[in-house]
């Protein structure tokens, strides 16, 4: 019971309050058995912690941490619509948007910060399809943005 | 009845004919209860109205209008597969691709042009999950591209 | 029977073994009737064949071939979860991530390399919704990345 919450505790992760979008959208939408979570940036304690472009302003380890932070916020979004996180049957698809210098090519290593978190928190249910790519820019010059499609059991 | 068409009239929006893709794809696909609409750029009257990069060639207000125009075309795509727009139960996910100078960070304000339109046209059913990010380039140097996943009641 | 495999043979396409992700994700996920395939780059024989930015290092024809190669790998991913490719009822959505110089605007012509392949291999079931856009960078400087959502009959 409450396996996911237990995993979060063991990882010393406290979920933030569900982020309130600053614009005309909502944190997550459930339709049928699918949940679509809005894009999140690496904010903690109300501050955008990782700003800048990978391969120019930030190194891979910082990018990894940025992706992990953004993923924690995505989990808070998922929780806001499913209530009990154990109801999530699968993290289906993760998209990793990496703010990249034009010659940066290690987006996969950066987005692993999100992917490995989902595996740690959700176990095999965290195994997802993925795309990672380099954006030209991101909101407020965030280092990374992450969004997720999840699936809920009936 | 026909609430969505009534809203469109009150907003003085005339939907264009459903855009015909210039390439090997279709405007929208319905499978199960989901509709996936192809990406749209800010075309009106057959012309790409907003070209260039935000933060370099265009300001936020122009970007907002560009996103709104692209969103109107997305609604035409949705209509082409659902017929009666009142059958749309939810605008589920909006992705906003903003043609951005490398240091532009106001993608959310730009994509609000699409998000606020969906809310005006579909009411609460228009509340969606969202991601907004900066691309390196866009087709024909369009300012914005918008695509949408929607959900239809049985 | 086995129409898709027959089409692949007539096109002289040998599907590669399903690509093993180098990171913490899986090639494809099936939930309900949907299959989400991870992003693929133009790899053949273990080598990334097309590297560089369109409009700078590569021309449209090379980009087209790159998109086609990536799409072949996506088909291998789909096969890894559905077994018989004839069970795919629809290629629903194709996203084409094109590594682009800032002023390159022919992403649609590039992504046609994937779109036309899906039509050749799956027939009318290959008609999909699509978005094509220019990234700021891609993993290992790949020319193109392609991902797909597909739908499977019960």
């Amino acid at each position: 019971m409450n396996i996911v919450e237990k995993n979060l505790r063991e990882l010393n992760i406290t979920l933030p309050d569900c982020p309130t979008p600053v614009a005309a959208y909502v944190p997550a939408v459930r339709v049928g058995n699918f949940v679509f979570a809005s894009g999140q940036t690496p904010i903690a304690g109300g501050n955008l912690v990782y700003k800048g472009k990978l391969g120019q302003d930030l190194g891979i380890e910082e990018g990894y941490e940025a992706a992990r932070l953004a993923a924690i916020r995505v989990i808070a979004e998922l929780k806001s619509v499913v209530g009990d996180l154990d109801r999530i049957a699968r993290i289906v698809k993760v998209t990793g948007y990496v703010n990249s210098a034009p010659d940066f090519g290690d987006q996969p290593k950066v987005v692993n910060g999100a992917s490995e978190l989902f595996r740690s928190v959700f176990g095999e249910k965290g195994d997802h399809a993925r795309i990672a790519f380099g954006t030209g820019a991101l909101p407020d010059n965030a280092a990374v943005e992450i969004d997720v499609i999840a699936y809920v059991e009936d």
Side-chain angles (χ1 to χ4, degrees), chain A:
Chain A
M1 302 304 178
N2 294 323
I3 295 169
V4 171
E5 297 284 351
K6 182 171 155 286
N7 290 343
L8 287 168
R9 271 197 302 276
E10 288 180 3
L11 293 163
N12 281 318
I13 294 170
T14 305
L15 289 186
D17 292 338
C18 180
T20 306
V22 292
Y25 62 97
V26 297
V29 170
R30 176 173 176 180
V31 282
N33 292 86
F34 284 91
V35 180
F36 294 78
S38 291
Q40 284 297 333
T41 53
I43 291 173
N47 298 308
L48 181 52
V49 182
Y50 293 99
K51 294 179 103 159
K53 294 193 190 301
L54 272 290
Q56 177 184 303
D57 309 310
L58 297 169
I60 290 173
E61 280 187 41
E62 293 165 300
Y64 181 99
E65 283 304 316
R68 187 176 185 276
L69 261 184
I72 290 171
R73 287 169 64 82
V74 168
I75 295 174
E77 291 183 317
L78 295 173
K79 186 172 178 173
S80 76
V81 293
V82 303
D84 180 356
L85 284 167
D86 283 6
R87 295 183 60 214
I88 292 181
R90 195 73 185 258
I91 301 294
V92 176
K93 173 80 182 279
V94 172
T95 302
Y97 308 76
V98 180
N99 200 349
S100 298
D103 60 351
F104 182 74
D106 278 324
Q107 289 84 11
K109 291 180 185 167
V110 168
V111 181
N112 279 354
S115 290
E116 292 174 0
L117 179 78
F118 290 126
R119 192 55 153 80
S120 299
V121 170
F122 293 98
E124 289 185 2
K125 296 175 182 176
D127 277 350
H128 51 270
R130 195 179 88 173
I131 178 95
F133 69 96
T135 66
L138 281 181
D140 294 331
N141 200 25
V144 176
E145 205 166 2
I146 299 285
D147 70 6
V148 161
I149 303 171
Y151 194 76
V152 178
E153 291 293 0
D154 278 319

